Amino acid sequence: MTMLALRHVTAGYGHFTALWDVSLEVAAGEAVAVVGPNGAGKTTLLRVISGVIAPRSGELIFEGAVLTGRPAHEIVAHGIAHVPEGRRLFPALTVAENLKMGAFLPAARRSYRQSLERVFELFPVLAERRGQRAGSLSGGEQQMLALGRALMSTPRLILLDEPSMGLAPVMVLRLFDLIRRIRAEGYTILVVEQNVRQVLKLVDRAYLLEVGRIRMEGRAHELAEQDFVRKAYVGL
Amino acid sequence: MIDPVFLLEAAINGVLLGGVLALLALGLNLIFGVLDVVWIAYVDLVMVCMYLVYFLVMGYGWPVWLGGLAGIGLGVLLGLAVHLLIITPILSSPPVNQLLATGGLLFFIQSFATFLWTTDHRSIRINLPVVEVGGLFLSFARLIAFALSIVAMLGLWVFLRRTFIGTAIRAVAQDRGAMALMGADPQRIYLVTSGVGGAMAGLAAALLSIQYSVHPYFGAAFGPITFMVCVLGGLGNMLGAFIASFVMSEIISLGGVLWSTEMGYVIAFALFIVMMFIRPGGILARRER
C-alpha cells in the first residue's frame, strides 16, 4: 500500500529549480533510498515532503491526504518526521530537552513517557547523557539524538537526510545498524545518502537522482549492480 | 569622609534598584533572544501601563495590587499588538529597519502620551512606610518592588526551564526551522514570547509606579539604561543582564551618594562605552547562551 507519493513535483529556491518533475512512491513498511551526487536535489526533495519548502507544481500525498503546500509544523502532525541535514539539534538545550521538543505535538505529548523509554532503550547512551547539552555530544551521539528526537513525535514515516555525514567509518556502520533496528520496529524510512554502498545494503528500493531528475529506480541490489552506479558512486 | 552607614544604605538601594532594572531588562532580553528583534520602545510600553495603573488607582480608587494586575493585563495586550502589527510584517527585514520601526513606535507613544496626558508628572500617592533596620532607612515600596521582581524572574526561569512551551521558546531562539519540524508553529511561539515580554513590562510598570512618577518621557529616562544593561549582559543572555543590572545600579546609587545622581549616570554610561571596547559581547561573552 502506498504511504507516500510525490507526483510530478517541481521545486526550487528563487530562480533556481532544484527538482524537475519528480515522481516517487514509498509503501508502508518499506525502506527507500534516494542516492545521487552532491547538488542532485536530494535535500530539496526531503524538504518538499516535510513542508519546509512548497513545491512549485505537483502533488504530495501521504496516507491518502493531499499535503501539497502545507507548512512544516502541520505535516509533522500527519506522521512524518524529518531528521534534517546537519541534524539541527538545539545545542544549548540538554539531551532530555531536545527529546522533549521532539514530542511537542499534543498527540506526541500524551505518549511522552513511553516514547522516551523506547528511545532510551534504543540509544542507551542518550539516557546516560540526558542532562548534558546537545552541543557537547560527539557526532555519532548527536546523530542518535536527532534520530531519537524524530521518534519522539511518534511518526510513521521518517525522513533521514545524510545520516552518515561527518561520522567516522565505524560510527557509520553502527548508525546504519541502528536505522535497521528502527526499521524493524515498523517505521517506514526514506533516506537520502551519499554513502551509496552502505545505504543500498539497508534499503529495499532506491532512486537515483541527478541534477534534479530521477534517472533510475529499482530494487536496491539491482541498482547496486548497475555498472555506472558502481563506477560513479560505490567506488568499485 | 562619608558616613559608612550612608554608603551601606546607598549600596542596598542600589541592589533594590538593580532588581527593578533586571526586571525591565528581562522582558526586552527575552524578546531579543527569541525573535532577534530589539524593541527600542519597550520602556515606553511600560510607561503606558504605568499611566493605566495611575489612573485606575488615583482616578477610580482601585487598590494598588488590582491596578497592578490590570497593568500586567495591558502589558500582555500591548506585547501581542506590537508583535502582530509592527514586528510580524518586518520579521525578515534587515535589523536596521526593525530598529527604525520600533524606534518610530517609541516617538509615536511618547508624542501621543504628551498629547493625551500632557507633560505633567503624576505619582501614585500611597503611604508606604520607611523601614528602619539597624539604623538604615529603606523604602518599603522599593523592598516590595525588589522582592516581586525577584519572584517574577524566578517564575520566568521556571517557565522557560520546566514547561513545554517555555522550553520551546528557548529552542526557537536556537533554531527556528528545526522547531517547525517538531510541529511547533514558530509564529505562535513568537506570539507567546511577545505576550510574556509584555506581561513583564506590565509588572515592571506596576512596581515602578509605586516608586516613580509617570510622565511621557519616562521611557526616555529608563529606556537607555535598560537597553544598556541588556547589551552589557550580552543581548539575549538572561544571566548576563541580571548581573549587569546590579553592576549598573550600584554604580548609579553609590555614585549618587559620593557625587551626585547625575554623576552616577555619567560614570555608568562611560563604563558602558569602555565595556563596548573591551567586552563587546557582554560580560558573560565566553559562555554559551
Side-chain angles (χ1 to χ4, degrees), chain A residues 52 73 76 84 88 90-93 97 100-104 109 133 149, chain B residues 162 164 167-168 170-171 174-175 177-185 288-289:
Chain A
V52 175
H73 62 89
V76 198
R88 303 276 292 268
F90 305 112
L93 261 53
E97 284 172 337
K100 198 169 167 183
M101 288 301 97
F104 185 82
R109 226 176 285 190
R133 282 175 179 224
R149 189 179 64 174
Chain B
R162 293 276 168 265
F164 256 95
T167 312
R170 287 190 295 138
Q174 290 167 47
D175 194 330
M179 205 51 215
L181 291 180
M182 306 294 110
D185 178 0
E288 269 182 277
R289 195 157 72 208

PDB file of all heavy atoms in Angstrom, chain A residues 52 73 76 84 88 90-93 97 100-104 109 133 149, chain B residues 162 164 167-168 170-171 174-175 177-185 288-289:
ATOM      1  N   VAL A  52       9.088  22.081   4.450  1.00  0.00           N
ATOM      2  CA  VAL A  52       9.981  23.214   4.670  1.00  0.00           C
ATOM      3  C   VAL A  52       9.910  24.169   3.478  1.00  0.00           C
ATOM      4  O   VAL A  52       9.932  25.389   3.635  1.00  0.00           O
ATOM      5  CB  VAL A  52      11.432  22.732   4.908  1.00  0.00           C
ATOM      6  CG1 VAL A  52      12.385  23.904   5.015  1.00  0.00           C
ATOM      7  CG2 VAL A  52      11.506  21.865   6.157  1.00  0.00           C
ATOM      8  N   HIS A  73       5.096  22.554  10.214  1.00  0.00           N
ATOM      9  CA  HIS A  73       4.565  22.188  11.529  1.00  0.00           C
ATOM     10  C   HIS A  73       3.246  21.440  11.445  1.00  0.00           C
ATOM     11  O   HIS A  73       2.869  20.742  12.376  1.00  0.00           O
ATOM     12  CB  HIS A  73       4.459  23.419  12.438  1.00  0.00           C
ATOM     13  CG  HIS A  73       3.535  24.486  11.946  1.00  0.00           C
ATOM     14  ND1 HIS A  73       2.209  24.495  12.258  1.00  0.00           N
ATOM     15  CD2 HIS A  73       3.751  25.559  11.163  1.00  0.00           C
ATOM     16  CE1 HIS A  73       1.641  25.551  11.688  1.00  0.00           C
ATOM     17  NE2 HIS A  73       2.551  26.205  11.023  1.00  0.00           N
ATOM     18  N   VAL A  76       4.228  17.472  10.224  1.00  0.00           N
ATOM     19  CA  VAL A  76       4.676  16.576  11.301  1.00  0.00           C
ATOM     20  C   VAL A  76       3.477  15.905  11.956  1.00  0.00           C
ATOM     21  O   VAL A  76       3.518  14.722  12.288  1.00  0.00           O
ATOM     22  CB  VAL A  76       5.428  17.347  12.418  1.00  0.00           C
ATOM     23  CG1 VAL A  76       6.235  16.379  13.247  1.00  0.00           C
ATOM     24  CG2 VAL A  76       6.311  18.433  11.867  1.00  0.00           C
ATOM     25  N   PRO A  84      16.805  16.486   9.724  1.00  0.00           N
ATOM     26  CA  PRO A  84      17.340  17.318   8.647  1.00  0.00           C
ATOM     27  C   PRO A  84      18.848  17.198   8.467  1.00  0.00           C
ATOM     28  O   PRO A  84      19.545  16.642   9.324  1.00  0.00           O
ATOM     29  CB  PRO A  84      16.966  18.736   9.078  1.00  0.00           C
ATOM     30  CG  PRO A  84      16.850  18.669  10.556  1.00  0.00           C
ATOM     31  CD  PRO A  84      16.429  17.272  10.899  1.00  0.00           C
ATOM     32  N   ARG A  88      20.580  19.603  13.035  1.00  0.00           N
ATOM     33  CA  ARG A  88      19.793  20.719  13.575  1.00  0.00           C
ATOM     34  C   ARG A  88      19.256  20.459  14.972  1.00  0.00           C
ATOM     35  O   ARG A  88      18.075  20.659  15.269  1.00  0.00           O
ATOM     36  CB  ARG A  88      18.624  21.045  12.632  1.00  0.00           C
ATOM     37  CG  ARG A  88      19.064  21.376  11.211  1.00  0.00           C
ATOM     38  CD  ARG A  88      19.478  22.808  11.050  1.00  0.00           C
ATOM     39  NE  ARG A  88      18.392  23.719  11.182  1.00  0.00           N
ATOM     40  CZ  ARG A  88      17.649  24.159  10.168  1.00  0.00           C
ATOM     41  NH1 ARG A  88      17.894  23.752   8.954  1.00  0.00           N
ATOM     42  NH2 ARG A  88      16.690  25.030  10.380  1.00  0.00           N
ATOM     43  N   PHE A  90      19.120  21.360  19.097  1.00  0.00           N
ATOM     44  CA  PHE A  90      19.161  22.616  19.836  1.00  0.00           C
ATOM     45  C   PHE A  90      20.376  22.532  20.749  1.00  0.00           C
ATOM     46  O   PHE A  90      20.304  21.909  21.819  1.00  0.00           O
ATOM     47  CB  PHE A  90      17.872  22.810  20.626  1.00  0.00           C
ATOM     48  CG  PHE A  90      16.649  22.730  19.756  1.00  0.00           C
ATOM     49  CD1 PHE A  90      15.761  21.674  19.879  1.00  0.00           C
ATOM     50  CD2 PHE A  90      16.410  23.688  18.778  1.00  0.00           C
ATOM     51  CE1 PHE A  90      14.648  21.584  19.059  1.00  0.00           C
ATOM     52  CE2 PHE A  90      15.298  23.600  17.953  1.00  0.00           C
ATOM     53  CZ  PHE A  90      14.420  22.551  18.093  1.00  0.00           C
ATOM     54  N   PRO A  91      21.510  23.113  20.344  1.00  0.00           N
ATOM     55  CA  PRO A  91      22.783  22.826  21.013  1.00  0.00           C
ATOM     56  C   PRO A  91      22.829  23.223  22.481  1.00  0.00           C
ATOM     57  O   PRO A  91      23.478  22.550  23.272  1.00  0.00           O
ATOM     58  CB  PRO A  91      23.800  23.628  20.193  1.00  0.00           C
ATOM     59  CG  PRO A  91      23.006  24.641  19.460  1.00  0.00           C
ATOM     60  CD  PRO A  91      21.658  24.050  19.233  1.00  0.00           C
ATOM     61  N   ALA A  92      22.133  24.286  22.869  1.00  0.00           N
ATOM     62  CA  ALA A  92      22.219  24.736  24.260  1.00  0.00           C
ATOM     63  C   ALA A  92      21.191  24.047  25.145  1.00  0.00           C
ATOM     64  O   ALA A  92      21.200  24.216  26.358  1.00  0.00           O
ATOM     65  CB  ALA A  92      22.058  26.254  24.336  1.00  0.00           C
ATOM     66  N   LEU A  93      20.303  23.272  24.544  1.00  0.00           N
ATOM     67  CA  LEU A  93      19.347  22.506  25.336  1.00  0.00           C
ATOM     68  C   LEU A  93      19.968  21.160  25.684  1.00  0.00           C
ATOM     69  O   LEU A  93      20.822  20.657  24.952  1.00  0.00           O
ATOM     70  CB  LEU A  93      18.050  22.279  24.530  1.00  0.00           C
ATOM     71  CG  LEU A  93      16.868  23.199  24.825  1.00  0.00           C
ATOM     72  CD1 LEU A  93      17.276  24.649  24.725  1.00  0.00           C
ATOM     73  CD2 LEU A  93      15.709  22.915  23.881  1.00  0.00           C
ATOM     74  N   GLU A  97      15.922  17.701  27.015  1.00  0.00           N
ATOM     75  CA  GLU A  97      15.076  18.784  26.493  1.00  0.00           C
ATOM     76  C   GLU A  97      14.900  18.683  24.980  1.00  0.00           C
ATOM     77  O   GLU A  97      13.829  18.965  24.453  1.00  0.00           O
ATOM     78  CB  GLU A  97      15.690  20.143  26.857  1.00  0.00           C
ATOM     79  CG  GLU A  97      15.476  20.526  28.312  1.00  0.00           C
ATOM     80  CD  GLU A  97      16.252  21.773  28.728  1.00  0.00           C
ATOM     81  OE1 GLU A  97      17.271  22.098  28.084  1.00  0.00           O
ATOM     82  OE2 GLU A  97      15.839  22.427  29.691  1.00  0.00           O
ATOM     83  N   LYS A 100      12.337  16.150  24.490  1.00  0.00           N
ATOM     84  CA  LYS A 100      11.054  16.714  24.882  1.00  0.00           C
ATOM     85  C   LYS A 100      10.470  17.543  23.724  1.00  0.00           C
ATOM     86  O   LYS A 100       9.276  17.478  23.435  1.00  0.00           O
ATOM     87  CB  LYS A 100      11.279  17.604  26.098  1.00  0.00           C
ATOM     88  CG  LYS A 100      10.059  17.930  26.900  1.00  0.00           C
ATOM     89  CD  LYS A 100      10.524  18.576  28.199  1.00  0.00           C
ATOM     90  CE  LYS A 100       9.389  19.226  28.939  1.00  0.00           C
ATOM     91  NZ  LYS A 100       9.881  19.902  30.156  1.00  0.00           N
ATOM     92  N   MET A 101      11.340  18.303  23.058  1.00  0.00           N
ATOM     93  CA  MET A 101      10.873  19.121  21.939  1.00  0.00           C
ATOM     94  C   MET A 101      10.400  18.248  20.781  1.00  0.00           C
ATOM     95  O   MET A 101       9.526  18.642  20.018  1.00  0.00           O
ATOM     96  CB  MET A 101      11.980  20.071  21.468  1.00  0.00           C
ATOM     97  CG  MET A 101      12.247  21.203  22.436  1.00  0.00           C
ATOM     98  SD  MET A 101      10.788  22.241  22.738  1.00  0.00           S
ATOM     99  CE  MET A 101      10.137  21.559  24.252  1.00  0.00           C
ATOM    100  N   GLY A 102      11.009  17.050  20.670  1.00  0.00           N
ATOM    101  CA  GLY A 102      10.538  16.117  19.642  1.00  0.00           C
ATOM    102  C   GLY A 102       9.089  15.749  19.864  1.00  0.00           C
ATOM    103  O   GLY A 102       8.350  15.451  18.922  1.00  0.00           O
ATOM    104  N   ALA A 103       8.662  15.772  21.133  1.00  0.00           N
ATOM    105  CA  ALA A 103       7.285  15.410  21.469  1.00  0.00           C
ATOM    106  C   ALA A 103       6.417  16.647  21.671  1.00  0.00           C
ATOM    107  O   ALA A 103       5.513  16.653  22.491  1.00  0.00           O
ATOM    108  CB  ALA A 103       7.277  14.551  22.732  1.00  0.00           C
ATOM    109  N   PHE A 104       6.705  17.703  20.923  1.00  0.00           N
ATOM    110  CA  PHE A 104       5.974  18.959  21.124  1.00  0.00           C
ATOM    111  C   PHE A 104       4.492  18.857  20.765  1.00  0.00           C
ATOM    112  O   PHE A 104       3.641  19.458  21.392  1.00  0.00           O
ATOM    113  CB  PHE A 104       6.619  20.079  20.311  1.00  0.00           C
ATOM    114  CG  PHE A 104       5.998  21.426  20.558  1.00  0.00           C
ATOM    115  CD1 PHE A 104       6.382  22.175  21.653  1.00  0.00           C
ATOM    116  CD2 PHE A 104       5.007  21.919  19.720  1.00  0.00           C
ATOM    117  CE1 PHE A 104       5.792  23.410  21.903  1.00  0.00           C
ATOM    118  CE2 PHE A 104       4.410  23.147  19.967  1.00  0.00           C
ATOM    119  CZ  PHE A 104       4.805  23.896  21.060  1.00  0.00           C
ATOM    120  N   ARG A 109       2.793  14.404  22.953  1.00  0.00           N
ATOM    121  CA  ARG A 109       2.985  14.745  24.357  1.00  0.00           C
ATOM    122  C   ARG A 109       2.272  13.739  25.253  1.00  0.00           C
ATOM    123  O   ARG A 109       2.729  13.412  26.332  1.00  0.00           O
ATOM    124  CB  ARG A 109       2.418  16.141  24.614  1.00  0.00           C
ATOM    125  CG  ARG A 109       3.341  17.013  25.416  1.00  0.00           C
ATOM    126  CD  ARG A 109       2.817  18.399  25.569  1.00  0.00           C
ATOM    127  NE  ARG A 109       2.947  19.205  24.356  1.00  0.00           N
ATOM    128  CZ  ARG A 109       2.712  20.522  24.331  1.00  0.00           C
ATOM    129  NH1 ARG A 109       2.338  21.145  25.427  1.00  0.00           N
ATOM    130  NH2 ARG A 109       2.848  21.197  23.212  1.00  0.00           N
ATOM    131  N   ARG A 133      24.377  19.042  27.630  1.00  0.00           N
ATOM    132  CA  ARG A 133      23.964  19.853  26.485  1.00  0.00           C
ATOM    133  C   ARG A 133      24.191  19.105  25.179  1.00  0.00           C
ATOM    134  O   ARG A 133      25.225  18.456  25.009  1.00  0.00           O
ATOM    135  CB  ARG A 133      24.793  21.126  26.429  1.00  0.00           C
ATOM    136  CG  ARG A 133      24.338  22.152  27.414  1.00  0.00           C
ATOM    137  CD  ARG A 133      25.263  23.328  27.383  1.00  0.00           C
ATOM    138  NE  ARG A 133      24.792  24.316  28.328  1.00  0.00           N
ATOM    139  CZ  ARG A 133      24.725  25.617  28.066  1.00  0.00           C
ATOM    140  NH1 ARG A 133      25.137  26.076  26.904  1.00  0.00           N
ATOM    141  NH2 ARG A 133      24.267  26.450  28.955  1.00  0.00           N
ATOM    142  N   ARG A 149      15.004  12.179  18.666  1.00  0.00           N
ATOM    143  CA  ARG A 149      14.082  13.312  18.699  1.00  0.00           C
ATOM    144  C   ARG A 149      12.983  13.139  17.656  1.00  0.00           C
ATOM    145  O   ARG A 149      11.817  13.445  17.905  1.00  0.00           O
ATOM    146  CB  ARG A 149      14.869  14.604  18.442  1.00  0.00           C
ATOM    147  CG  ARG A 149      14.084  15.858  18.650  1.00  0.00           C
ATOM    148  CD  ARG A 149      14.916  17.095  18.411  1.00  0.00           C
ATOM    149  NE  ARG A 149      15.360  17.203  17.032  1.00  0.00           N
ATOM    150  CZ  ARG A 149      16.011  18.256  16.527  1.00  0.00           C
ATOM    151  NH1 ARG A 149      16.287  19.276  17.303  1.00  0.00           N
ATOM    152  NH2 ARG A 149      16.371  18.284  15.273  1.00  0.00           N
TER     153      ARG A 149
ATOM    154  N   ARG B 162      10.930  24.522  32.747  1.00  0.00           N
ATOM    155  CA  ARG B 162      10.139  23.361  33.129  1.00  0.00           C
ATOM    156  C   ARG B 162       8.958  23.068  32.211  1.00  0.00           C
ATOM    157  O   ARG B 162       8.496  21.948  32.160  1.00  0.00           O
ATOM    158  CB  ARG B 162       9.624  23.529  34.560  1.00  0.00           C
ATOM    159  CG  ARG B 162      10.715  23.518  35.615  1.00  0.00           C
ATOM    160  CD  ARG B 162      11.100  22.104  36.033  1.00  0.00           C
ATOM    161  NE  ARG B 162      12.322  22.113  36.833  1.00  0.00           N
ATOM    162  CZ  ARG B 162      13.542  21.921  36.323  1.00  0.00           C
ATOM    163  NH1 ARG B 162      13.695  21.689  35.032  1.00  0.00           N
ATOM    164  NH2 ARG B 162      14.613  21.945  37.102  1.00  0.00           N
ATOM    165  N   PHE B 164       6.689  22.819  28.594  1.00  0.00           N
ATOM    166  CA  PHE B 164       6.893  22.501  27.176  1.00  0.00           C
ATOM    167  C   PHE B 164       7.051  23.779  26.369  1.00  0.00           C
ATOM    168  O   PHE B 164       7.986  23.929  25.591  1.00  0.00           O
ATOM    169  CB  PHE B 164       5.681  21.719  26.645  1.00  0.00           C
ATOM    170  CG  PHE B 164       5.952  20.260  26.492  1.00  0.00           C
ATOM    171  CD1 PHE B 164       5.622  19.372  27.497  1.00  0.00           C
ATOM    172  CD2 PHE B 164       6.542  19.774  25.339  1.00  0.00           C
ATOM    173  CE1 PHE B 164       5.873  18.020  27.353  1.00  0.00           C
ATOM    174  CE2 PHE B 164       6.787  18.415  25.190  1.00  0.00           C
ATOM    175  CZ  PHE B 164       6.456  17.534  26.204  1.00  0.00           C
ATOM    176  N   THR B 167      10.312  25.659  27.147  1.00  0.00           N
ATOM    177  CA  THR B 167      11.461  25.018  26.505  1.00  0.00           C
ATOM    178  C   THR B 167      11.417  25.289  25.000  1.00  0.00           C
ATOM    179  O   THR B 167      12.450  25.528  24.374  1.00  0.00           O
ATOM    180  CB  THR B 167      11.454  23.504  26.784  1.00  0.00           C
ATOM    181  OG1 THR B 167      11.252  23.294  28.175  1.00  0.00           O
ATOM    182  CG2 THR B 167      12.769  22.866  26.383  1.00  0.00           C
ATOM    183  N   ALA B 168      10.217  25.273  24.443  1.00  0.00           N
ATOM    184  CA  ALA B 168      10.078  25.543  23.004  1.00  0.00           C
ATOM    185  C   ALA B 168      10.521  26.970  22.683  1.00  0.00           C
ATOM    186  O   ALA B 168      11.112  27.221  21.627  1.00  0.00           O
ATOM    187  CB  ALA B 168       8.630  25.323  22.562  1.00  0.00           C
ATOM    188  N   ARG B 170      12.893  28.605  24.197  1.00  0.00           N
ATOM    189  CA  ARG B 170      14.354  28.583  24.137  1.00  0.00           C
ATOM    190  C   ARG B 170      14.840  27.871  22.883  1.00  0.00           C
ATOM    191  O   ARG B 170      15.838  28.252  22.280  1.00  0.00           O
ATOM    192  CB  ARG B 170      14.915  27.894  25.389  1.00  0.00           C
ATOM    193  CG  ARG B 170      14.778  28.755  26.635  1.00  0.00           C
ATOM    194  CD  ARG B 170      15.564  28.161  27.790  1.00  0.00           C
ATOM    195  NE  ARG B 170      14.993  26.873  28.172  1.00  0.00           N
ATOM    196  CZ  ARG B 170      15.711  25.802  28.480  1.00  0.00           C
ATOM    197  NH1 ARG B 170      17.017  25.843  28.425  1.00  0.00           N
ATOM    198  NH2 ARG B 170      15.118  24.692  28.837  1.00  0.00           N
ATOM    199  N   ALA B 171      14.117  26.827  22.483  1.00  0.00           N
ATOM    200  CA  ALA B 171      14.521  26.071  21.299  1.00  0.00           C
ATOM    201  C   ALA B 171      14.380  26.925  20.035  1.00  0.00           C
ATOM    202  O   ALA B 171      15.259  26.928  19.176  1.00  0.00           O
ATOM    203  CB  ALA B 171      13.682  24.794  21.178  1.00  0.00           C
ATOM    204  N   GLN B 174      17.138  29.125  19.339  1.00  0.00           N
ATOM    205  CA  GLN B 174      18.345  28.499  18.796  1.00  0.00           C
ATOM    206  C   GLN B 174      18.194  28.092  17.351  1.00  0.00           C
ATOM    207  O   GLN B 174      19.140  28.166  16.565  1.00  0.00           O
ATOM    208  CB  GLN B 174      18.719  27.282  19.638  1.00  0.00           C
ATOM    209  CG  GLN B 174      19.218  27.662  21.016  1.00  0.00           C
ATOM    210  CD  GLN B 174      19.267  26.462  21.930  1.00  0.00           C
ATOM    211  OE1 GLN B 174      19.756  25.416  21.560  1.00  0.00           O
ATOM    212  NE2 GLN B 174      18.748  26.617  23.123  1.00  0.00           N
ATOM    213  N   ASP B 175      17.035  27.600  16.984  1.00  0.00           N
ATOM    214  CA  ASP B 175      16.832  27.137  15.610  1.00  0.00           C
ATOM    215  C   ASP B 175      15.341  27.137  15.273  1.00  0.00           C
ATOM    216  O   ASP B 175      14.619  26.210  15.589  1.00  0.00           O
ATOM    217  CB  ASP B 175      17.424  25.732  15.430  1.00  0.00           C
ATOM    218  CG  ASP B 175      17.541  25.343  13.960  1.00  0.00           C
ATOM    219  OD1 ASP B 175      16.718  25.821  13.147  1.00  0.00           O
ATOM    220  OD2 ASP B 175      18.454  24.581  13.630  1.00  0.00           O
ATOM    221  N   GLY B 177      13.840  26.985  12.348  1.00  0.00           N
ATOM    222  CA  GLY B 177      13.422  25.996  11.346  1.00  0.00           C
ATOM    223  C   GLY B 177      13.269  24.607  11.938  1.00  0.00           C
ATOM    224  O   GLY B 177      12.318  23.886  11.638  1.00  0.00           O
ATOM    225  N   ALA B 178      14.205  24.240  12.815  1.00  0.00           N
ATOM    226  CA  ALA B 178      14.140  22.907  13.412  1.00  0.00           C
ATOM    227  C   ALA B 178      12.905  22.785  14.295  1.00  0.00           C
ATOM    228  O   ALA B 178      12.297  21.725  14.375  1.00  0.00           O
ATOM    229  CB  ALA B 178      15.410  22.627  14.221  1.00  0.00           C
ATOM    230  N   MET B 179      12.510  23.876  14.945  1.00  0.00           N
ATOM    231  CA  MET B 179      11.347  23.807  15.820  1.00  0.00           C
ATOM    232  C   MET B 179      10.073  23.603  15.002  1.00  0.00           C
ATOM    233  O   MET B 179       9.132  22.955  15.460  1.00  0.00           O
ATOM    234  CB  MET B 179      11.266  25.084  16.674  1.00  0.00           C
ATOM    235  CG  MET B 179      10.534  24.915  17.973  1.00  0.00           C
ATOM    236  SD  MET B 179      11.092  23.526  18.990  1.00  0.00           S
ATOM    237  CE  MET B 179       9.529  23.016  19.698  1.00  0.00           C
ATOM    238  N   ALA B 180      10.048  24.128  13.789  1.00  0.00           N
ATOM    239  CA  ALA B 180       8.895  23.883  12.918  1.00  0.00           C
ATOM    240  C   ALA B 180       8.806  22.401  12.587  1.00  0.00           C
ATOM    241  O   ALA B 180       7.711  21.831  12.496  1.00  0.00           O
ATOM    242  CB  ALA B 180       9.008  24.712  11.639  1.00  0.00           C
ATOM    243  N   LEU B 181       9.969  21.748  12.430  1.00  0.00           N
ATOM    244  CA  LEU B 181       9.975  20.313  12.144  1.00  0.00           C
ATOM    245  C   LEU B 181       9.494  19.497  13.339  1.00  0.00           C
ATOM    246  O   LEU B 181       9.170  18.330  13.206  1.00  0.00           O
ATOM    247  CB  LEU B 181      11.382  19.851  11.753  1.00  0.00           C
ATOM    248  CG  LEU B 181      11.908  20.350  10.408  1.00  0.00           C
ATOM    249  CD1 LEU B 181      13.306  19.819  10.164  1.00  0.00           C
ATOM    250  CD2 LEU B 181      10.988  19.933   9.267  1.00  0.00           C
ATOM    251  N   MET B 182       9.478  20.099  14.530  1.00  0.00           N
ATOM    252  CA  MET B 182       8.964  19.421  15.728  1.00  0.00           C
ATOM    253  C   MET B 182       7.441  19.583  15.821  1.00  0.00           C
ATOM    254  O   MET B 182       6.827  19.112  16.761  1.00  0.00           O
ATOM    255  CB  MET B 182       9.584  19.986  17.010  1.00  0.00           C
ATOM    256  CG  MET B 182      11.092  20.008  17.065  1.00  0.00           C
ATOM    257  SD  MET B 182      11.828  18.388  17.091  1.00  0.00           S
ATOM    258  CE  MET B 182      12.573  18.329  15.476  1.00  0.00           C
ATOM    259  N   GLY B 183       6.861  20.336  14.906  1.00  0.00           N
ATOM    260  CA  GLY B 183       5.419  20.516  14.928  1.00  0.00           C
ATOM    261  C   GLY B 183       4.976  21.796  15.601  1.00  0.00           C
ATOM    262  O   GLY B 183       3.791  21.988  15.866  1.00  0.00           O
ATOM    263  N   ALA B 184       5.927  22.679  15.920  1.00  0.00           N
ATOM    264  CA  ALA B 184       5.556  23.942  16.558  1.00  0.00           C
ATOM    265  C   ALA B 184       5.495  25.037  15.493  1.00  0.00           C
ATOM    266  O   ALA B 184       6.406  25.151  14.684  1.00  0.00           O
ATOM    267  CB  ALA B 184       6.570  24.315  17.622  1.00  0.00           C
ATOM    268  N   ASP B 185       4.432  25.814  15.508  1.00  0.00           N
ATOM    269  CA  ASP B 185       4.326  26.935  14.578  1.00  0.00           C
ATOM    270  C   ASP B 185       5.150  28.087  15.161  1.00  0.00           C
ATOM    271  O   ASP B 185       4.788  28.648  16.187  1.00  0.00           O
ATOM    272  CB  ASP B 185       2.848  27.330  14.452  1.00  0.00           C
ATOM    273  CG  ASP B 185       2.660  28.518  13.529  1.00  0.00           C
ATOM    274  OD1 ASP B 185       3.675  29.019  12.993  1.00  0.00           O
ATOM    275  OD2 ASP B 185       1.502  28.928  13.345  1.00  0.00           O
ATOM    276  N   GLU B 288      28.237  30.061  26.671  1.00  0.00           N
ATOM    277  CA  GLU B 288      27.179  29.846  25.701  1.00  0.00           C
ATOM    278  C   GLU B 288      25.877  30.353  26.274  1.00  0.00           C
ATOM    279  O   GLU B 288      25.704  30.399  27.485  1.00  0.00           O
ATOM    280  CB  GLU B 288      27.015  28.354  25.434  1.00  0.00           C
ATOM    281  CG  GLU B 288      27.834  27.855  24.299  1.00  0.00           C
ATOM    282  CD  GLU B 288      27.545  26.387  24.111  1.00  0.00           C
ATOM    283  OE1 GLU B 288      28.151  25.569  24.821  1.00  0.00           O
ATOM    284  OE2 GLU B 288      26.700  26.079  23.272  1.00  0.00           O
ATOM    285  N   ARG B 289      24.971  30.690  25.385  1.00  0.00           N
ATOM    286  CA  ARG B 289      23.698  31.167  25.867  1.00  0.00           C
ATOM    287  C   ARG B 289      22.924  30.028  26.473  1.00  0.00           C
ATOM    288  O   ARG B 289      22.903  28.951  25.944  1.00  0.00           O
ATOM    289  CB  ARG B 289      22.911  31.753  24.701  1.00  0.00           C
ATOM    290  CG  ARG B 289      21.766  32.576  25.158  1.00  0.00           C
ATOM    291  CD  ARG B 289      21.332  33.566  24.120  1.00  0.00           C
ATOM    292  NE  ARG B 289      20.662  32.932  22.994  1.00  0.00           N
ATOM    293  CZ  ARG B 289      20.674  33.444  21.795  1.00  0.00           C
ATOM    294  NH1 ARG B 289      21.328  34.535  21.551  1.00  0.00           N
ATOM    295  NH2 ARG B 289      20.034  32.853  20.816  1.00  0.00           N
TER     296      ARG B 289
END
